């Protein structure tokens, strides 16, 4: 509704007359000639108004209001100043009460209130003010258009823009800003070309718009076009093109821009000089160049100093940042805040607090920075203590606390604080609302989320894209997909984040095909879109399809981020695809991601899982290591049976000052188990609680059972379980059953199996292990009984499956496979190999056959295990002497283990097999496990 219809024409005339008289009276009071003796009163009013503005700027609204209330006579300018102060501080109810006290004031009064509502996303309230205005000038229209633009509703902004009775260049620029902020650059460019008049703002907005969507080259071209048309840049325009140049990551372009800056006199301008400094500091590798530029600046302001301090802090050079701060002659609030923030980010929160306490009269910005620092370091109670002491809080103070609570897992306190803010008469900001939705998501608080949603509607910002995206995420994590669809369908502006949020919600609710459909229909995608869909397929164990998405992504010239690379490296590790992993490694190097800690850790883990020695090379090349790095290396050693190497790495870790955690000891105990290091295993198990105060978990007990059982102490392993202070789970009983299988202990094996049948009756592996024990002892009646129970329970044996990668393609084989397209050649190769091995001394170990059949049938059954089919295929299609690597889903049986030792000896091939437990490296007739697995 563009014009109010709820008033009759006579009533409207009366209200219009009353408001005009009120405004006229206020103006007359302000401009009427005064006697000479009263001249000081005009000065006093001006001084009072200036004082109100100054106090408002400092966030001291209570004192500002006291000055306002003490004024004996108030002009309309004074009223508008106080109303503006309230609006700028988010205290819109107080602003509204003042507007009502002067019956609406003048057009400027309404425009101030309208803009205040717009800043807090209260679009409906802003529109009510606009619709209630009996007269509107172009400024009021522009303010309402800007309100829609600010809150992401470009459709309504355009509708209002088209309805304007007259437009000035500001009107066009507001609409242009809307398109640019919503990344609709095709529409923005079309509007730009239609503009009857352009000013520097027009050029600046469109340059910034292209920079926003990271089309930095286009932004740079438009600046050059502007320059060719003879338009000289101003500070803002130069700053916008510097943002685009920064995005190009080409210091040569930046250096090329400096002659123009010198020619126009802007390089010596402190604002542009600071913008150029900011461009240098965005490149972490150019900090020394930035520092040199900083030292050469003829003039510096508080933002120059704070920019340099912030850049050095962000680059981890906090001591250098402190040194720059000490040289600052003013040590302004922005510089103090920059250093305070940097100290907090680097974990030096005590130093940050000392700096804060040195500020004689900290303004609200300093308080907020200190609170944020505490929250970033997980010191929530300290942040709360500071928040409670604040002399004045603005909306950012509340938003910072609510966000901090949510990000530190104290979600209910975040929601309680939102309620307290509302009780204090302040409607929450967009940030407070989005953080509250995040808190609801974390704890699955659907009902509370609905209430916060209602509060967002009351605040008039339910159509804001940030709110809509947060709502989609919240409802998705709470499992209410109907609400997700409703919110998404009602959104007036759907940006890329909106589509990504819907995809994430669908993935979270196991609706992968629907997520794929949404992804395929997106008009534009960003790296988050690709990350979400690739992660979804990886989590669904559809790694091959995830890799295909990655290939398409690269084909579209999208630059992968660290999460995508780590996901893909994890897939390569799971598939045992080292060549594909090497290709991903190459991509990481190309984009400069290989040195990032998260990627380097993923690379090392992938190479370990693929049995590649490159894992050691990655570790040795890492400049930075965290606990995950050390744990991955220790676990990798365990997988390969390198127990002594794992212990050596543990000692190296301790020497580096890194404390072990629970995961470290799981890796160590596994390493000891696979290497038969019983004494060392006991020492590590006891060291957990004795030396580090760590309570052993089920995983640690399972490792000890495995260690004791593998080394032959099956009775001791069983007693260890009975002595445990916590209830054993299936993994522990399975470890005992596995030990009984190795050492053919039917009695204890039966007891362990009975426990497992009760805990996980559908797990076929437990039945098969018990059958293995019985069959190895010739107890065929018991074998038949196990098979009967399996049939009664509807349990089917998981087939053995092996796979291998040859020339970037994965080939899989199933035990007894007859479907492979080259099965006849594979079987022929296998028969020839079998003959050669028998000649070399190989004798099939038929105790691993689970059926009471004759020896010849048993030998035939053993011959077609999946890993034997795989090695035959490898020998068939790969060059002579080339190593063969095979992955297997189950533990390799004793006969196959012996078989592969002979294959490595007869064929002179290196053969690596990763089974369900560990790696086996077969070399010239022996295995790296020393026949202990």
């Amino acid at each position: 509704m563009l014009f109010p219809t709820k008033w009759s024409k006579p009533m409207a005339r009366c209200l219009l007359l009353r408001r005009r008289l009120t405004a006229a009276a206020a103006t007359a009071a302000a401009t009427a000639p005064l006697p000479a003796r009263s001249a000081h009163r005009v000065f006093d009013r001006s001084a009072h108004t200036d004082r109100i503005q100054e106090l408002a700027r400092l966030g001291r609204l209570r004192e500002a209001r006291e000055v306002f209330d003490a004024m004996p006579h108030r002009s309309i300018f004074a009223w508008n100043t106080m109303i503006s102060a309230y609006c700028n501080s988010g205290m819109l109810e107080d602003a509204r009460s003042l507007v009502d006290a002067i019956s609406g004031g003048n057009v400027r009064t309404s425009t101030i209130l309208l803009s205040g509502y717009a800043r807090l996303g209260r679009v409906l309230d802003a529109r009510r003010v606009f619709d209630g205005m009996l007269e509107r000038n172009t400024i009021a229209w522009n303010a309402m258009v800007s309100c829609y633009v600010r809150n992401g509703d470009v459709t309504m902004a355009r509708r209002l823009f088209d309805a304007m009775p007259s437009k000035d260049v500001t009107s066009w620029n507001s609409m242009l800003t809307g398109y640019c902020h919503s990344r609709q650059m095709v529409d923005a460019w079309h509007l730009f070309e239609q503009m009857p008049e352009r000013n520097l703002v027009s050029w600046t907005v469109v340059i910034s718009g292209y920079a926003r969507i990271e089309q930095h080259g286009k932004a740079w071209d438009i600046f050059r076009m502007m320059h060719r048309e003879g338009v000289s840049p101003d500070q803002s325009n130069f700053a916008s093109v510097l943002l685009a140049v920064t995005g190009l990551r080409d210091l040569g372009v930046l250096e090329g821009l400096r002659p123009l800056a010198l020619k126009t006199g802007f390089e010596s301008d402190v604002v542009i000089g600071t913008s150029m400094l900011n461009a240098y500091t965005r490149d972490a590798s150019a900090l020394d160049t930035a520092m040199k530029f900083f030292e050469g600046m003829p003039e510096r302001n508080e933002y120059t100093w704070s920019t340099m301090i912030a850049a050095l802090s962000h680059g981890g050079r906090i001591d250098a940042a402190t040194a720059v701060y000490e040289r600052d002659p003013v040590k302004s609030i922005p510089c103090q805040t920059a250093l305070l923030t940097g100290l907090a980010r680097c974990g030096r929160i005590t130093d940050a607090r000392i700096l804060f306490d040195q500020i004689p009269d900290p303004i609200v910005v300093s308080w907020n920075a200190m609170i944020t620092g505490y929250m970033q370091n997980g010191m929530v109670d300290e942040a709360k203590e500071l928040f409670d002491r604040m002399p004045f809080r603005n909306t950012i103070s509340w938003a910072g606390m609510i966000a901090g609570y949510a990000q530190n897992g104290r979600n209910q306190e975040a929601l309680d604080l939102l309620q307290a803010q509302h009780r204090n008469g302040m409607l929450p900001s967009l940030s407070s609302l989005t953080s509250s939705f995040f808190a609801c998501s974390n704890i699955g608080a659907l009902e509370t989320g609905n209430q916060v949603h209602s509060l967002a509607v009351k605040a008039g910002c339910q159509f804001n894209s940030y709110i809509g995206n947060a709502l989609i995420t919240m409802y998705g994590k709470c499992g209410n997909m109907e609400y997700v669809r409703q919110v998404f369908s009602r959104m007036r502006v759907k940006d890329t984040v909106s589509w990504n949020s819907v995809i994430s919600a669908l993935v979270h609710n196991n609706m992968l095909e629907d997520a794929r459909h949404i992804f395929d229909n997106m008009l534009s995608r960003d790296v988050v879109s690709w990350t979400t869909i690739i992660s979804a397929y990886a989590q669904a164990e559809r790694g091959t399809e995830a890799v295909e998405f990655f290939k398409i992504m690269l084909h579209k010239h999208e630059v992968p981020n660290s999460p995508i690379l780590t996901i893909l490296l994890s897939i390569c590790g799971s598939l045992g695809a080292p060549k594909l992993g090497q290709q991903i490694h190459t991509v990481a190097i190309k984009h400069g991601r290989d040195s990032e800690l998260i990627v380097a850790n993923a690379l090392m883990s992938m190479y370990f899982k693929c049995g590649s020695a490159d894992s050691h090379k990655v570790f040795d090349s890492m400049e930075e290591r965290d606990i995950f790095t050390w744990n991955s290396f220790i676990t990798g050693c365990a997988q390969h049976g390198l127990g002594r190497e794992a212990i050596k790495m543990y000692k190296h870790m301790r020497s580096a000052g890194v404390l072990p955690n629970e995961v470290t000891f799981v890796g160590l105990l596994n390493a000891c188990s696979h290497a038969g290091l019983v004494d060392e295993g006991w020492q590590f198990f006891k060291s957990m609680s004795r030396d580090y105060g760590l309570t052993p978990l089920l995983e640690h007990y399972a490792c000890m059972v495995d260690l004791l059982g593998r080394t032959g102490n099956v009775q001791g392993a069983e007693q260890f379980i009975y002595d445990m202070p916590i209830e054993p789970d299936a993994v522990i009983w399975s470890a005992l059953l596995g030990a009984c299988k190795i050492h053919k202990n039917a009695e204890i094996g039966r007891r362990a199996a009975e426990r497992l049948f009760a805990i996980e009756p559908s797990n076929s592996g437990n039945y098969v292990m018990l059958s293995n024990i019985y069959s190895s002892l010739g107890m065929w009646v018991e074998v038949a009984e196990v098979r009967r129970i399996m049939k009664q329970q509807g349990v089917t044996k998981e087939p053995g499956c092996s796979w291998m990668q040859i020339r970037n393609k994965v080939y899989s084989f199933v035990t007894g496979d007859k479907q492979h397209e080259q099965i006849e050649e594979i079987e022929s190769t296998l028969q020839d190999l079998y003959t050669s091995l028998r000649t070399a001394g190989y004798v099939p170990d038929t105790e691993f056959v689970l059926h009471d059949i004759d020896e010849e049938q048993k030998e035939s059954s053993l011959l077609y295990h999946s890993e034997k089919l795989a090695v035959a295929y490898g020998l068939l299609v790969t060059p002579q002497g080339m190593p063969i690597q095979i992955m297997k889903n189950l533990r390799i049986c004793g006969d196959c283990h012996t078989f592969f030792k002979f294959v490595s000896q007869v064929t002179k091939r290196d053969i690596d097999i990763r089974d369900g437990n560990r790696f086996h490296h077969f070399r010239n007739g022996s295995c790296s496990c020393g026949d202990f697995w």
Side-chain angles (χ1 to χ4, degrees):
M1 166 172 150
L2 297 180
F3 300 97
T5 58
K6 58 184 178 179
W7 294 309
S8 65
K9 289 183 179 179
M11 178 63 74
R13 290 195 190 100
C14 288
L15 287 171
L16 178 59
L17 180 60
R18 190 176 75 178
R19 290 186 180 180
R20 284 178 174 169
L21 288 172
T22 302
T27 304
T31 60
L34 296 172
R37 68 177 183 272
S38 300
H40 70 279
R41 192 176 298 169
V42 176
F43 174 79
D44 286 347
R45 286 185 204 164
S46 175
H48 281 115
T49 305
D50 289 344
R51 181 60 176 160
I52 291 170
Q53 289 178 323
E54 177 65 17
L55 289 169
R57 188 182 69 82
L58 295 172
R60 293 154 61 179
L61 269 292
R62 186 178 304 162
E63 295 173 59
R65 180 59 186 264
E66 289 173 358
V67 173
F68 177 78
D69 289 341
M71 293 178 69
H73 302 284
R74 307 183 191 98
S75 67
I76 190 65
F77 180 69
W79 285 88
N80 286 344
T81 301
M82 193 65 233
I83 291 167
S84 179
Y86 278 135
C87 288
N88 290 337
S89 296
M91 301 171 67
L92 293 176
E93 305 314 315
D94 295 282
R96 179 83 229 191
S97 67
L98 284 184
V99 172
D100 292 340
I102 54 169
S103 302
N106 58 13
V107 173
R108 175 159 172 72
T109 311
S110 298
T111 305
I112 291 169
L113 184 61
L114 188 159
S115 299
Y117 282 130
R119 273 193 295 274
L120 286 184
R122 295 170 61 174
V123 181
L124 296 181
D125 287 324
R127 187 54 189 260
R128 289 190 192 100
V129 173
F130 180 77
D131 287 342
M133 295 173 69
L134 296 180
E135 58 176 327
R136 309 183 186 96
N137 56 18
T138 304
I139 295 173
W141 283 87
N142 289 344
M144 193 63 228
V145 171
S146 296
C147 173
Y148 283 122
V149 165
R150 181 189 293 271
N151 290 280
D153 194 345
V154 183
T155 303
M156 282 300 297
R158 184 57 191 257
R159 194 175 299 170
L160 202 67
F161 174 80
D162 290 339
M164 289 181 70
S166 64
K167 304 181 183 76
D168 58 14
V169 69
T170 302
S171 314
W172 288 87
N173 287 340
S174 295
M175 194 63 241
L176 185 65
T177 299
Y179 282 132
C180 290
H181 282 187
S182 62
R183 301 171 179 262
Q184 299 180 42
M185 291 310 298
V186 173
D187 295 316
W189 185 249
H190 182 64
L191 188 74
F192 181 76
E193 291 182 314
Q194 288 181 328
M195 291 180 71
E197 176 192 359
R198 298 177 189 140
N199 60 13
L200 261 176
V201 174
S202 316
W203 290 97
T204 303
V205 168
V206 78
I207 289 169
S208 300
Y210 279 108
R212 182 187 293 267
I213 63 170
E214 299 185 359
Q215 290 191 24
H216 303 295
K218 176 73 172 175
W220 174 243
D221 290 341
I222 293 171
F223 176 77
R224 294 168 64 193
M225 181 195 309
M226 182 193 89
H227 187 60
R228 285 196 300 270
E229 291 189 11
V231 180
S232 297
D234 64 0
Q235 286 183 344
S236 178
N237 182 266
F238 226 112
S240 68
V241 77
L242 282 169
L243 181 64
V245 170
T246 302
L248 288 172
R249 295 184 178 275
D250 188 343
L251 292 180
V253 176
L254 179 58
E255 292 292 335
L257 189 63
R258 289 186 66 179
L260 178 61
L262 287 167
K263 181 180 178 181
T264 55
F266 276 126
E267 183 162 289
S268 60
D269 178 280
V270 67
V271 174
I272 296 304
T274 302
S275 295
M276 295 190 78
L277 175 67
N278 184 53
Y280 279 117
T281 60
R282 294 297 180 90
D283 187 342
S285 64
L287 275 181
D288 291 333
T289 306
M291 193 68 192
K292 183 179 179 181
F293 182 85
F294 171 80
E295 297 293 359
M297 292 179 70
E299 181 185 356
R300 306 184 187 107
N301 61 15
E302 59 186 24
Y303 298 107
T304 313
W305 290 95
S306 63
T307 297
M308 198 67 243
I309 291 167
L312 291 168
S313 300
H314 192 73
R317 294 161 65 170
I318 192 64
D319 292 333
T322 304
V324 171
Y325 174 77
E326 293 298 335
R327 290 171 49 200
D328 178 12
V330 179
K331 294 182 175 55
S332 62
I333 296 295
C335 292
Q336 292 169 333
T337 304
L339 183 59
L340 191 155
T341 302
L343 289 167
R345 185 185 293 115
C346 293
R348 291 169 57 175
I349 194 67
T350 303
D351 293 334
R353 182 56 189 263
I354 291 171
L355 177 61
F356 176 78
D357 290 337
Q358 289 173 352
I359 303 173
D361 189 16
I363 64 172
V364 68
V365 174
S366 304
W367 288 88
N368 290 344
M370 192 65 233
I371 286 171
T372 301
Y374 276 133
M375 286 298 191
Q376 287 174 341
N377 285 273
M379 302 172 69
V380 181
D381 293 331
E382 289 81 356
K384 182 181 184 303
E385 181 268 332
L386 208 62
F387 179 78
D388 291 339
R389 284 178 44 210
M390 288 183 75
F392 170 78
R393 304 181 188 122
N394 60 13
T395 53
I396 297 173
S397 314
W398 291 91
M401 280 298 295
I402 292 170
Y405 275 134
Q407 289 163 5
N408 283 281
R410 292 167 66 163
N411 301 290
Q412 190 56 54
E413 289 171 88
L415 298 172
D416 292 342
L417 193 61
L418 177 75
Q419 188 178 29
Q421 182 185 12
H422 192 215
R423 280 199 307 269
N424 282 0
M426 295 179 67
L427 281 175
S429 65
L430 294 177
S431 176
S432 295
L433 288 168
T434 54
S435 295
S436 299
F437 289 132
F438 176 68
C440 292
S441 301
N442 291 340
I443 58 177
L446 179 59
E447 184 176 348
T448 304
N450 285 331
Q451 294 170 0
V452 180
H453 188 173
S454 299
L455 185 58
V457 173
K458 181 179 179 182
C461 53
Q462 72 272 30
F463 296 117
N464 179 275
S465 58
Y466 293 105
I467 295 298
N469 296 337
L471 280 168
I472 289 170
T473 300
M474 186 268 291
Y475 284 129
K477 288 191 175 180
C478 291
N480 194 321
M481 289 306 298
E482 181 56 35
Y483 281 9
V484 169
R485 292 188 181 93
Q486 288 179 19
V487 172
F488 186 68
S489 64
R490 292 172 183 171
M491 290 180 71
R492 294 173 179 173
V493 177
K494 299 181 178 75
D495 57 17
T496 306
V497 178
S498 312
W499 291 88
N500 291 342
S501 299
V502 172
I503 292 173
S504 295
L506 290 165
V507 169
H508 183 77
N509 288 276
N510 301 314
M511 301 170 70
L512 184 56
E513 299 309 319
D514 292 312
R516 171 67 186 270
H517 177 74
I518 293 290
F519 179 84
D520 289 341
N521 285 280
M522 290 179 71
L523 296 177
S524 63
R525 306 182 184 103
D526 60 11
V527 69
V528 177
S529 315
W530 292 100
T531 304
T532 304
I533 199 69
I534 289 171
S535 174
Y537 275 88
Q539 290 171 10
E541 297 184 357
R542 294 166 65 171
T544 303
E545 291 165 275
V547 172
E548 289 304 313
F549 274 113
F550 180 65
K551 291 178 181 177
I552 296 169
M553 175 187 172
L554 294 180
H555 182 71
K556 292 184 178 293
H557 306 291
E558 187 74 55
V559 178
N561 58 14
S562 299
I564 284 181
L565 293 171
T566 56
I567 291 167
L568 288 160
L569 290 169
S570 177
I571 291 171
C572 294
S574 298
L575 292 175
K579 292 180 181 176
L580 178 60
Q582 288 169 349
Q583 292 171 1
I584 305 297
H585 191 171
T586 302
V587 172
I589 293 171
K590 178 181 177 181
H591 295 288
R593 302 279 188 186
D594 60 309
S595 59
E596 293 182 14
L597 183 59
I598 185 175
V599 176
N601 283 338
L603 280 166
M604 184 179 64
S605 181
M606 180 274 294
Y607 281 127
F608 264 124
K609 290 179 179 177
C610 291
S612 171
D614 286 340
S615 53
H616 289 69
K617 295 178 182 177
V618 172
F619 179 85
D620 291 338
S621 68
M622 291 175 71
E623 296 180 1
E624 180 186 2
R625 300 179 182 125
D626 61 6
I627 185 63
F628 185 86
T629 312
W630 297 97
N631 288 346
S632 295
F633 199 99
I634 291 170
T635 301
C637 290
Q639 290 173 334
H640 290 269
L642 304 173
R644 297 293 181 188
E645 183 73 16
I647 294 172
K648 179 181 176 182
M649 188 54 60
Y650 169 71
K651 292 177 180 178
H652 189 183
M653 181 185 85
R654 289 182 58 193
S655 299
V658 180
L659 289 175
N661 61 13
E662 290 87 351
V663 178
T664 312
F665 285 101
V666 170
L668 285 168
L669 293 173
N670 261 322
C672 292
S673 177
H674 288 156
L677 305 175
V678 180
D679 292 339
E680 290 85 347
W682 270 115
Q683 289 174 13
F684 286 126
F685 184 77
K686 293 173 182 177
S687 174
M688 281 186 67
S689 54
R690 182 188 65 223
D691 299 329
Y692 300 102
L694 300 173
T695 302
L697 305 175
L698 284 167
E699 293 89 336
H700 303 102
Y701 285 104
C703 290
M704 286 303 298
V705 171
D706 190 56
L707 172 59
L708 295 171
R710 280 178 188 274
T711 53
N713 189 4
V714 179
Q715 290 180 328
E718 184 182 31
Q719 188 59 47
F720 180 84
I721 294 175
Y722 292 141
D723 293 339
M724 282 173 53
I726 53 178
E727 187 71 22
D729 65 355
V731 177
I732 290 173
W733 289 112
S734 181
L736 180 62
L737 182 59
C740 293
K741 176 176 176 289
I742 295 171
H743 299 288
K744 302 178 184 179
N745 191 317
E747 182 182 353
I748 295 178
R750 178 183 54 77
R751 289 199 292 268
E754 287 173 352
R755 298 275 191 163
L756 286 165
F757 295 163
I759 297 172
E760 42 182 25
S762 300
N763 187 339
S764 62
N766 300 325
Y767 298 92
V768 172
M769 271 203 284
L770 183 59
S771 291
N772 269 322
I773 296 171
Y774 287 150
S775 63
S776 67
L777 296 170
M779 300 169 65
W780 299 112
V781 173
E782 286 78 2
V783 169
E785 177 60 18
V786 173
R787 292 173 61 82
R788 186 193 67 76
I789 295 172
M790 288 181 69
K791 185 175 182 180
Q792 184 180 20
Q793 296 285 344
V795 178
T796 55
K797 180 180 180 295
E798 180 183 2
C801 177
S802 298
W803 62 96
M804 61 198 308
Q805 184 187 19
I806 300 175
R807 290 185 286 274
N808 293 328
K809 185 176 179 181
V810 176
Y811 298 87
S812 59
F813 306 87
V814 179
T815 297
D817 196 350
K818 296 292 183 182
Q819 303 302 315
H820 196 282
E821 58 185 14
Q822 291 180 263
I823 190 62
E824 291 183 3
E825 297 170 78
I826 293 171
E827 288 183 347
S828 175
T829 300
L830 199 53
Q831 288 289 350
D832 293 341
L833 181 63
Y834 182 65
T835 301
S836 300
L837 299 187
R838 291 294 293 260
T839 302
Y842 163 67
V843 177
D845 191 345
T846 57
E847 74 173 45
F848 293 97
V849 178
L850 303 184
H851 301 280
D852 186 13
I853 52 180
D854 61 42
E855 281 303 300
E856 186 176 345
Q857 287 178 302
K858 287 182 180 180
E859 290 184 19
S860 178
S861 175
L862 288 172
L863 185 60
Y864 298 107
H865 279 190
S866 63
E867 57 266 53
K868 290 175 180 172
L869 295 173
V871 77
Y873 184 73
L875 292 169
L876 185 65
V877 300
T878 60
Q880 187 173 357
M882 182 177 178
I884 295 175
Q885 187 175 75
I886 298 169
M887 307 291 158
K888 180 177 169 60
N889 64 331
L890 304 176
R891 182 178 179 273
I892 189 172
C893 75
D895 174 70
C896 286
H897 192 268
T898 302
F899 180 89
F900 277 99
K901 288 198 294 184
F902 276 96
V903 172
S904 68
Q905 180 181 1
V906 170
T907 64
K908 306 300 180 186
R909 297 261 198 147
D910 291 348
I911 301 173
D912 297 323
I913 295 182
R914 188 186 79 188
D915 68 9
N917 288 339
R918 58 167 294 163
F919 266 93
H920 298 267
H921 303 286
F922 297 96
R923 303 287 187 270
N924 197 30
S926 62
C927 179
S928 60
C929 73
D931 297 335
F932 185 84
W933 82 101

